[in-house]
């Protein structure tokens, strides 16, 4: 690329200049091994924000005091900055094990926090429960797994009864499962424990049968629902645990998609192998999801994020920078192609990491350290702090610091001022399906979109997804195939004249590849749906031959499954449009439906496409001529176009519904909707 130009992006919109300068001065210690130095370019960042922010070093005598000083500082800032919330604070650690003292202290002071570890899913109690149950189903005589299930807190088997069971099993050299099977022979078991153990045995029986023919994911949801686990977590409003269960559910789904034989046995084997190799299970978090909390996370995890106030803690020798671990297999110099850096590679890498931590701060940056971390020797402050120009305050440390009680007092005063702060998990963005769920029943909305309770799938959804995916793939392939020859200024010309080259078998092949083989109640139902799918494909193909659609192009991309984020007032509504066709004198917005054809559309029926019309006009600046619900099952279409009045009315309605969601207490409104509600099995208010 002879005309390529090198451009350095040096405008920074995040941090104040003094923090950028400090970070720049610090990272220059890596010279001459930095790209900027080698290539002789200027990468000194220029703040686009006016004013300076704090960049301080806080030193304490002991680790406890370092933690307390950090919390004290957070409380001081909260008092000073009336707009600040817990979300504005991040405590950045070099390694996961440094989090514990901060977690405990925040817990004691009652400050809402989240420790966002990147790994460790498999060691979370609720996941250990699920793994134990799966192990038990795989092998009844896996006594530690049976023991864990007997101890499930929501089942409430008295501890004394469990002791009696384990003693019996030990004495008679029987597995714990054999013991609970011959419960009548174990003396002294309370009647309530007997009842609960019988319940567990029934569960095992039911799920063992299920394990033979159902997917692991079905078993997963089955256990959560049938055991009462989900209900228990919902009653406690324990979103954190429900989120973890959702993560594990994703893990199960990944296994099902990748395994040759996705059986329960193979799943357990896979998890066991991961655990043996030291894998702890990936944790993901969504910072946009509430609640308002101080975040504790590793610097690695904070890459790409930003916070108003950043605390980089434990800035002491051997903690940050860490000690270099020797290469396990040293490579002969001749095999290394790249030019080796001249300095200490590990130290340079750690310095880069520290630079990342520093440049997360939008307003203030604090480094904290202590000299006593419980070892024999006093810790020196990190050499990085010295490189930044901070003095070693070890000699001057005053040992008087506040204790937790004083902090609690301080905190309660501050929280009075900040009484607005609540554990708010409401989503920032809304969708049409969210609004529909809320209108049906606010509790259903809470289950689905706030708690995100894992649910069993439905045949109708598997089928709907399959058909959407098939039509998307087919049309995309056809259009891309023709794009190179028939592209014009406004979009793709229809593939008329060449359509006979595309055979029905092409479409059937896509159908077979995309078929989602999940959540069908039985083989007969699956077969019926499969047949229906083929009929849909046949109809679609015939129409395609007759009248091949000309699909619009937006920003040079084919207008299929187009995501949008529509601003309505101060709110945002997101969605995905299935397809937009170019009709020459306007466009048609098409939404596929796999439900029953509706001859006459009521106002509510029109809303989804009306939203798409508003989005197309306001975001893509395209005026639709027609809105079309394409009912695939009957191959019929319902067409209309929204008037200005209808659009304005809908916008007002959406805004008022979102406000209602924001202030709702999510009381259930049971009724006809309970019959098709995903949560009827765990909802106490369900109309049965
Ligand atoms: S079962 Fe009925 S009351 Fe309960 S959440 Fe669902 S719709 Fe609401």
């Amino acid at each position: 690329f002879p005309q390529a130009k090198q451009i350095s992006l040096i405008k920074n919109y995040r941090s104040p200049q003094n923090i950028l300068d400090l970070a720049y001065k610090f990272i220059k210690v890596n010279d001459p091994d930095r790209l900027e130095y080698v290539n002789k370019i200027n990468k000194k960042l220029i703040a686009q924000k006016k004013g300076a922010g704090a960049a301080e070093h806080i030193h304490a005598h002991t680790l406890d005091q370092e933690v307390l000083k950090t919390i004290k500082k957070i409380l001081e800032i909260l008092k000073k900055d009336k707009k600040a919330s817990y979300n504005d604070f991040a405590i950045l650690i070099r390694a996961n094990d440094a989090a514990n003292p901060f977690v405990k202290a925040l817990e004691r002071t009652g400050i809402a926090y989240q420790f966002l570890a990147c790994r460790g899913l498999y060691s979370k109690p609720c996941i250990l429960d699920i793994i134990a149950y799966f192990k038990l189903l795989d092998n009844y005589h896996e006594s530690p797994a049976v023991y864990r299930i007997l101890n499930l807190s929501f089942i409430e088997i008295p501890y004394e009864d469990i002791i009696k069971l384990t003693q019996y099993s030990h004495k008679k050299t029987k597995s714990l499962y054999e013991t609970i099977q011959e419960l009548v022979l174990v003396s002294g078991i309370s009647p309530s424990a007997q009842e609960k153990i019988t319940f567990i045995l029934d569960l095992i029986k039911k799920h063992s049968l299920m394990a033979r023919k159902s997917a692991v994911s079905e078993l997963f949801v089955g256990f959560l629902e049938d055991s009462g686990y989900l209900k228990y977590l919902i009653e406690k409003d324990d979103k954190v645990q429900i989120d973890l269960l959702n993560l594990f559910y994703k893990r199960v789904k990944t296994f099902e998609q990748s395994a040759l034989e996705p059986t329960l046995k193979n799943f357990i084997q896979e998890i066991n192998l991961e655990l043996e190799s030291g894998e702890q299970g990936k944790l993901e978090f969504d910072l946009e999801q509430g609640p308002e909390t101080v975040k504790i996370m590793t610097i690695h995890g904070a890459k790409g994020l930003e916070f108003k106030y950043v605390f980089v803690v434990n800035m002491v020798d051997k903690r940050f920078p860490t000690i270099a671990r020797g290469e396990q297999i040293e490579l002969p110099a001749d095999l290394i192609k790249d030019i080796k850096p001249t300095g200490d590679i590990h130290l340079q890498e750690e310095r880069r990491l520290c630079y990342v931590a520093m440049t997360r701060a939008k307003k203030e940056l604090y480094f904290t350290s202590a000299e006593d971390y419980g070892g024999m020797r006093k810790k020196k402050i990190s050499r990085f702090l010295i490189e930044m120009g901070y003095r070693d305050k070890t000699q001057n440390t005053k040992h008087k610091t506040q204790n937790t009680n004083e902090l609690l007092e301080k905190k309660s005063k501050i929280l009075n001022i900040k009484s607005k702060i609540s554990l708010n998990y409401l989503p920032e963005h809304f969708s049409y399906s969210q609004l529909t769920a809320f209108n049906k029943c606010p509790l259903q909305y809470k289950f689905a979109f706030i708690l995100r309770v894992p649910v069993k799938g439905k045949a109708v959804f598997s089928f709907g997804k399959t058909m959407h995916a098939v039509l998307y793939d087919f049309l995309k392939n056809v259009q891309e195939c023709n794009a190179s020859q028939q592209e014009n200024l406004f979009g793709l010309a229809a593939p008329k004249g060449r359509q006979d080259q595309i055979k029905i078998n092409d479409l059937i092949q896509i159908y077979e590849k995309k078929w989602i083989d999940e959540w069908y109640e039985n083989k007969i139902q699956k077969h019926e749906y499969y047949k229906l799918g083929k009929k849909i494909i046949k109809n679609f193909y015939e129409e395609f031959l007759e009248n091949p659609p000309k699909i619009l192009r937006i920003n040079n991309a084919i207008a299929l499954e187009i995501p949008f984020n529509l601003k309505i007032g101060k709110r945002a509504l997101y969605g995905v449009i299935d397809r937009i066709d170019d009709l020459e004198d306007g466009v048609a917005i098409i939404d596929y439906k796999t439900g029953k054809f509706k001859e006459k559309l009521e106002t509510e029926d029109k809303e989804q496409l009306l939203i798409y019309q508003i989005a197309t006009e306001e975001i893509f600046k395209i005026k639709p001529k027609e809105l079309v619900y394409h009912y695939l099952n009957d191959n019929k279409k319902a067409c209309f176009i929204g008037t200005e009045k209808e659009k304005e009315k809908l916008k007002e309605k959406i805004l008022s519904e979102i406000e209602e969601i924001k202030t709702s207490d999510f009381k259930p409104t049971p009724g006809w909707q309970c019959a098709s509600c995903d949560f009827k099995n765990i909802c106490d208010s369900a109309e049965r």
Side-chain angles (χ1 to χ4, degrees):
F1 301 98
Q3 286 174 15
K5 270 191 192 166
Q6 189 170 288
I7 298 170
S8 301
L9 303 175
I10 52 166
K11 283 188 184 172
N12 181 291
Y13 293 89
R14 180 186 295 149
S15 311
Q17 192 64 52
N18 63 323
I19 292 182
L20 294 178
D21 288 345
L22 182 69
Y24 186 67
K25 175 183 152 196
F26 168 68
I27 200 64
K28 273 168 80 71
V29 183
N30 272 359
D31 287 349
D33 290 319
R34 283 185 327 118
L35 214 61
E36 183 185 7
Y37 185 93
V38 176
N39 291 353
K40 306 221 176 325
I41 48 173
N42 177 19
K43 278 178 66 186
K44 190 173 188 302
L45 296 176
I46 310 294
Q48 302 302 297
K49 265 185 186 172
K50 297 254 175 305
E56 279 177 29
H57 171 214
I58 299 170
H59 189 67
H61 179 53
T62 64
L63 170 61
D64 277 352
Q65 287 170 357
E66 179 190 347
V67 172
L68 288 176
K69 279 189 172 190
T70 305
I71 296 178
K72 187 180 158 210
K73 193 75 202 176
I74 292 176
L75 293 173
E76 276 171 16
I77 295 170
L78 278 171
K79 198 172 175 185
K80 193 176 68 186
D81 180 353
K82 300 280 182 286
K83 284 189 192 152
S85 76
Y86 288 156
N87 273 346
D88 291 317
F89 295 87
I91 296 176
L92 301 185
I93 48 179
R94 173 63 186 86
N96 274 329
D97 50 11
N100 219 5
F102 292 91
V103 165
K104 281 188 183 154
L106 287 168
E107 186 103 52
R108 274 201 304 276
T109 34
I111 293 177
Y113 73 91
Q114 268 176 298
F115 173 32
L116 304 171
C118 300
R119 311 215 79 75
L121 177 65
Y122 301 155
S123 57
K124 300 288 175 196
C126 61
I127 306 304
L128 287 172
D129 292 340
I130 304 283
I131 295 177
Y133 192 68
F134 281 179
K135 282 188 176 172
L136 182 167
L137 290 183
D138 180 51
N139 174 10
Y140 294 165
H141 304 294
E142 177 90 41
S143 290
V146 179
Y147 181 77
R148 186 162 185 107
I149 297 306
L150 291 174
N151 274 293
L152 285 175
S153 55
F154 62 93
I155 295 189
E156 294 176 334
I157 299 176
Y159 190 59
E160 308 78 62
D161 288 311
I162 297 177
I163 297 279
K164 282 174 197 155
L165 292 169
T166 52
Q167 278 174 350
Y168 179 92
S169 116
H170 194 65
K171 207 158 129 195
K172 304 272 179 190
T173 47
K174 292 193 173 200
S175 72
L176 205 46
Y177 181 75
E178 285 169 314
T179 305
I180 58 173
Q181 267 197 319
E182 49 188 53
L183 200 57
V184 279
L185 302 178
V186 188
S187 63
I189 301 289
S190 66
S192 94
Q194 286 185 22
E195 204 180 294
K196 285 161 184 165
I197 291 165
T198 312
F199 169 71
I200 291 177
L201 283 168
D202 288 346
L203 272 187
I204 297 172
K205 200 167 153 194
K206 177 177 176 186
H207 295 142
S208 299
L209 284 174
M210 231 177 128
R212 282 187 216 154
K213 49 185 174 59
S214 306
V216 185
S217 52
E218 287 185 49
L219 210 54
F220 172 86
V221 181
F223 167 65
L224 289 178
E225 281 190 4
D226 300 338
S227 65
Y229 208 146
L230 262 187
K231 223 169 158 185
Y232 164 75
L233 293 178
I234 286 164
E235 273 161 18
K236 285 205 316 175
D237 238 1
D238 199 338
K239 180 167 163 51
V240 175
Q241 300 296 316
I242 295 174
D243 281 349
L244 292 169
L245 289 173
N246 268 316
L247 281 180
F248 194 66
Y249 186 60
K250 264 202 212 164
R251 175 68 190 84
V252 172
K253 295 299 279 180
T254 317
F255 160 78
E256 286 175 354
Q257 278 149 19
S258 59
L260 283 177
E261 280 181 66
T263 59
L264 181 69
K265 191 175 239 0
N266 288 343
F267 179 67
I268 292 165
Q269 257 180 22
E270 200 169 295
I271 294 287
N272 278 341
L273 280 175
E274 280 191 32
L275 288 169
E276 277 166 25
S277 68
E279 173 57 51
Q280 299 160 346
K282 202 169 154 205
L283 283 166
E284 291 162 20
F285 42 85
D286 180 356
L287 285 181
E288 283 204 1
Q289 281 272 315
E292 291 207 354
T293 48
V294 171
K295 309 288 185 292
I296 306 173
M297 58 186 3
T298 60
I299 302 171
H300 281 109
K303 278 183 187 167
L305 302 177
E306 55 181 30
F307 300 89
K308 217 165 167 185
Y309 302 101
V310 168
F311 291 79
V312 189
V313 299
N314 290 182
M315 288 294 288
V316 290
D317 187 35
K318 297 195 177 65
R319 288 203 168 204
F320 198 16
T322 55
I323 311 165
R325 267 189 253 144
E327 295 288 342
Q328 292 190 338
I329 304 170
E330 207 160 316
L331 278 180
D334 293 348
L335 289 181
I336 304 171
K337 269 206 225 140
D338 295 329
I339 303 163
K340 261 188 123 184
T342 50
D344 180 332
I345 304 171
H346 172 75
L347 197 59
Q348 288 178 358
E349 188 53 42
E350 291 284 289
R351 207 172 272 120
R352 277 192 287 275
L353 199 58
C354 187
Y355 177 85
V356 169
M358 293 167 81
T359 49
R360 299 308 92 204
K362 282 161 68 180
K363 193 165 180 201
E364 295 181 9
L365 171 66
Y366 297 93
F367 299 101
T368 69
S369 60
E371 51 209 70
D372 180 358
Y373 285 83
M376 295 286 281
R377 291 181 183 198
K378 275 188 178 181
K379 285 269 187 197
K380 286 191 196 143
I381 67 164
S382 164
R383 59 179 289 169
F384 289 172
L385 287 177
I386 308 281
E387 288 168 5
M388 285 175 218
Y390 293 105
R391 274 186 311 112
D392 189 345
K393 302 177 190 170
T394 316
Q395 313 306 323
N396 314 333
T397 320
K398 287 196 180 124
H399 295 177
K400 153 107 188 70
T401 350
Q402 272 176 304
N403 60 29
T404 321
N405 290 341
E406 282 173 69
L407 275 181
L408 274 172
E409 228 172 76
K410 196 177 178 87
K411 185 212 144 211
S412 70
K413 277 187 209 148
I414 289 167
L415 287 197
N416 283 340
I417 308 166
K418 298 185 63 60
S419 56
K420 296 195 298 308
I421 295 174
S422 63
L423 291 185
N424 182 2
Y425 282 104
L426 278 174
E428 282 296 308
H429 303 272
F430 294 85
S431 66
Y432 176 70
S433 46
Q434 282 189 35
L435 300 182
T436 315
F438 185 79
N439 285 332
K440 276 190 195 158
C441 171
L443 184 60
Q444 185 186 110
Y445 173 88
K446 182 179 173 181
F447 284 151
F449 297 103
I450 299 179
L451 293 177
R452 295 178 190 232
V453 174
V455 285
K456 282 182 189 161
K458 283 182 183 162
V460 58
F461 293 148
S462 297
F463 182 68
K465 271 199 219 163
T466 303
M467 295 320 300
H468 274 76
V470 172
L471 301 186
Y472 171 82
D473 259 34
F474 175 68
L475 289 174
K476 193 161 180 272
N477 290 349
V478 171
Q479 300 295 324
E480 274 174 358
C481 209
N482 289 280
S484 52
Q485 298 162 33
Q486 303 188 31
E487 215 164 13
N488 63 35
L489 192 60
F490 304 104
L492 287 174
K496 198 144 190 159
R498 301 188 52 198
Q499 61 269 33
D500 53 337
Q501 292 172 21
I502 300 151
K503 303 287 176 219
I504 179 95
N505 276 352
D506 297 334
L507 197 44
I508 290 176
Q509 258 183 27
I510 299 177
Y511 179 51
E512 273 157 11
K513 206 170 111 204
K514 291 283 162 186
W515 175 258
I516 300 171
D517 201 40
E518 287 172 1
W519 304 112
Y520 291 96
E521 279 161 27
N522 49 48
K523 279 190 180 157
I524 300 172
Q525 189 198 40
K526 188 155 77 175
H527 182 67
E528 287 305 314
Y529 268 112
Y530 188 79
K531 255 183 16 196
L532 177 62
K534 280 227 170 150
K535 186 184 114 191
I536 290 175
I537 282 178
K538 191 171 159 279
N539 291 336
F540 191 87
Y541 180 72
E542 278 167 9
E543 195 178 314
F544 168 82
L545 287 183
E546 192 66 26
N547 189 17
K550 178 180 170 185
I551 298 176
L552 190 77
R553 275 189 164 242
I554 298 178
N555 299 333
N556 214 25
I558 301 166
L560 292 170
E561 296 197 0
I562 317 122
F564 65 81
N565 205 351
L566 174 67
K567 272 239 166 241
I568 304 180
K570 282 189 191 150
R571 306 291 176 206
L573 198 76
Y574 67 85
V576 178
I577 301 173
D578 285 341
R579 184 176 126 196
I580 305 182
D581 282 1
D582 189 349
L583 304 178
E584 306 292 346
D585 55 344
V587 301
I589 300 177
I590 296 154
D591 188 67
Y592 301 128
K593 293 268 173 249
T594 44
K596 259 195 177 166
F597 172 60
K598 281 192 176 175
E599 184 98 55
K600 189 173 169 334
L601 297 173
E602 303 296 337
T603 313
E604 293 84 61
D605 298 325
K606 291 181 176 177
E607 284 177 352
Q608 187 184 355
L609 272 176
L610 267 181
I611 292 170
Y612 294 176
Q613 179 180 347
I614 301 170
T616 312
E617 288 172 354
E618 295 189 6
I619 302 171
F620 307 121
K621 312 286 176 219
I622 299 167
K623 209 143 185 75
K625 188 181 166 209
E626 183 171 57
L627 309 177
V628 184
Y629 283 122
H630 186 167
Y631 292 90
L632 297 170
N633 299 12
D634 309 282
N635 197 25
K636 287 186 177 163
K637 289 170 188 161
C639 309
F640 66 100
I641 188 76
T643 62
E644 286 307 315
K645 204 170 150 196
E646 279 173 321
K647 287 186 285 179
E648 280 316 306
K649 224 168 142 189
L650 180 59
K651 279 194 203 171
E652 277 168 30
K653 186 173 171 239
I654 290 170
L655 280 179
S656 84
E657 280 173 0
I658 293 177
E659 286 324 305
E660 229 183 292
I661 294 176
K662 292 242 166 203
T663 52
S664 177
D665 53 4
F666 304 104
K667 284 226 169 77
T669 51
W672 58 268
Q673 61 275 26
C674 297
S676 60
C677 176
D678 285 335
F679 310 101
K680 58 177 182 285
N681 294 339
I682 50 166
C683 175
D684 285 336
S685 313
E687 199 168 277
R688 292 178 212 278

